[in-house]
C-alpha cells in the first residue's frame, strides 16, 4: 500500500490559527511542515491522521536568533538553515556536526528541526544533540506557553510530552563558554544512525566544570547518559576518565538488536563514540582558548 488514507487538509496562517485547528479536529489531526517522516508513514498507512494542518506559512517559527544569552531556534527552521547558520556554529558546533550527517540536501532543505524532535524516532540525531547541550522545548497550547527541558521532552519511542492540542514552537539553548561535538556511525551516508554520541563540556584549569553527553539509537533514556556525566563532573578532562565514561555510558544503554547490528556491537559503539565526542569537544575547547589567548 503506497497511497495514504483519506484526510482533510488545512493551511494555518498563524500559531493561534494552528492551535484552533488542532482543537477543532482533535487528537486525530497532525501538524505537517517538512513531511519527510509523516508522509512516508501515511503512504504505508502506519499513520492515518484524519486531518493535516500545514504550518509552512508560519515564518515567525523559522527564525534563528540570540536573545538574553540564549540561542533560539524556531520549530520551523530547516535543517539546511541550522547547518548554514554562523551563530549556531559559533556557539554550538555540535549542531553543525549532526546536520552534516542527517539525510541528504533534499531532505535538509525541507525537513525541520521541530519536526525531527516531535517525530521522536529512537535513532534521531538532533534529539541527542539537544539533550547533550541541555536544550529546552517551548510548547504552546490553548493555555499559553510552557517550557520543558529536552531531557524530559520524550516519553518513549515516537512519543513526546506535546499534547493533542499543543505544538512545539521553539528550541532554546543557554549560551555559555563551552565546546561541543557529535560523532556518528551509519551504514551509508545520510542513513539513520547505527549509533551516535554528542558531548558538550567546559573546563576550568584542568577540571570539567560542566559536561553533557547525548546518545541516539542506543536505548539511552531520554537520549542522554547522566551516569557518565556524573562520573566526569569535577574531575580532570583526560583520556583515562573519558574511557571510563564511555564504558559507563555503554553499560546504561539498552540497545535493540536489528538489521543495523547486535546489542554487543551497539554497546561497543556507545563506548567508542562517547570517547570520540568528548575528545573532539576537548580539542575544540583548547583550540578556542588558544585563539583567545
Amino acid at each position: 500500500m503506497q497511497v495514504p488514507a483519506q484526510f482533510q487538509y488545512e493551511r494555518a496562517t498563524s500559531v493561534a490559527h494552528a492551535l484552533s485547528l488542532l482543537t477543532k479536529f482533535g487528537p486525530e489531526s497532525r501538524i505537517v511542515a517538512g513531511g519527510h517522516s509523516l508522509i512516508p508513514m501515511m503512504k504505508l498507512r502506519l499513520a492515518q491522521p484524519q486531518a493535516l494542518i500545514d504550518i509552512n506559512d508560519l515564518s515567525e517559527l523559522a527564525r534563528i536568533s540570540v536573545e538574553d544569552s540564549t540561542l533560539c531556534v524556531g520549530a520551523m527552521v530547516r535543517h539546511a538553515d541550522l547547518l548554514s547558520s554562523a551563530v549556531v556554529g559559533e556557539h554550538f558546533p555540535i549542531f553543525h556536526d549532526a546536520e552534516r550527517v542527517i539525510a541528504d540536501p533534499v531532505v535538509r532543505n525541507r525537513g525541520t528541526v521541530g519536526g525531527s524532535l516531535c517525530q521522536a524516532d529512537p535513532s534521531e540525531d538532533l534529539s541527542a544533540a539537544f539533550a547533550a547541550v541541555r536544550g529546552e522545548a517551548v510548547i504552546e497550547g490553548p493555555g499559553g506557553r510552557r517550557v520543558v527541558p529536552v531531557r524530559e521532552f520524550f516519553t518513549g519511542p515516537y512519543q513526546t510530552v506535546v499534547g493533542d492540542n499543543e505544538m512545539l514552537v521553539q528550541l532554546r539553548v543557554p549560551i555559555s563558554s563551552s565546546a561541543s561535538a557529535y560523532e556518528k556511525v551509519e551504514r551509508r551516508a545520510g542513513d539513520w544512525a547505527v549509533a551516535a554520541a554528542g558531548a558538550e563540556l567546559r573546563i576550568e584549569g584542568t577540571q570539567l566544570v560542566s559536561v553533557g553527553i547525548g546518545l541516539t539509537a542506543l536505548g539511552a533514556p531520554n537520549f542522554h547518559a547522566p551516569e557518565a556525566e556524573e562520573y566526569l563532573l569535577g574531575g580532570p578532562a583526560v583520556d583515562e576518565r573519558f574511557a571510563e565514561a564511555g564504558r559507563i555510558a555503554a553499560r546504561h544503554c539498552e540497545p535493540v538488536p536489528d538489521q543495523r547490528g547486535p546489542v554487543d556491537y551497539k554497546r561497543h559503539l556507545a563506548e567508542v563514540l562517547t570517547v570520540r565526542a568528548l575528545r573532539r569537544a576537548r580539542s575544540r575547547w583548547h583550540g578556542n582558548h588558544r585563539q583567545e589567548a
Side-chain angles (χ1 to χ4, degrees), residues 262-275:
V263 169
D264 288 349
Y265 173 58
K266 292 186 176 183
R267 286 192 188 278
H268 170 71
L269 288 179
E271 177 180 342
V272 171
L273 294 179
T274 296
V275 174

Side-chain angles (χ1 to χ4, degrees), residues 137-152:
V138 182
I139 300 167
E140 189 157 343
R145 288 192 171 190
R146 60 192 180 103
V147 179
V148 178
V150 167
R151 293 183 173 201
E152 300 173 13

Side-chain angles (χ1 to χ4, degrees), residues 27-97:
E28 297 307 313
S29 60
R30 296 287 296 274
I31 286 175
V32 63
H36 284 287
S37 297
L38 178 60
I39 301 304
M41 293 177 69
M42 290 175 62
K43 286 183 176 181
L44 296 171
R45 302 207 177 185
L46 297 174
Q48 298 187 47
Q50 294 179 6
L52 286 187
I53 299 166
D54 190 332
I55 63 170
N56 277 286
D57 289 341
L58 307 191
S59 58
E60 67 268 34
L61 302 186
R63 300 180 186 132
I64 299 172
S65 62
V66 174
E67 302 171 14
D68 298 325
S69 299
T70 299
L71 176 68
C72 301
V73 179
M76 275 287 299
V77 167
R78 310 289 176 179
H79 292 295
D81 294 330
L82 193 69
L83 176 57
S84 64
S85 170
V87 70
V88 170
E90 176 187 355
H91 295 294
F92 297 103
I94 186 173
F95 294 129
H96 281 188
D97 291 345

Side-chain angles (χ1 to χ4, degrees), residues 15-30:
V15 171
H17 186 210
L19 294 175
S20 70
L21 291 171
L22 286 171
T23 300
K24 173 184 176 181
F25 290 109
E28 297 307 313
S29 60
R30 296 287 296 274

Side-chain angles (χ1 to χ4, degrees), residues 81 107 111 126 180 190:
D81 294 330
V107 171
L126 289 185
S180 58

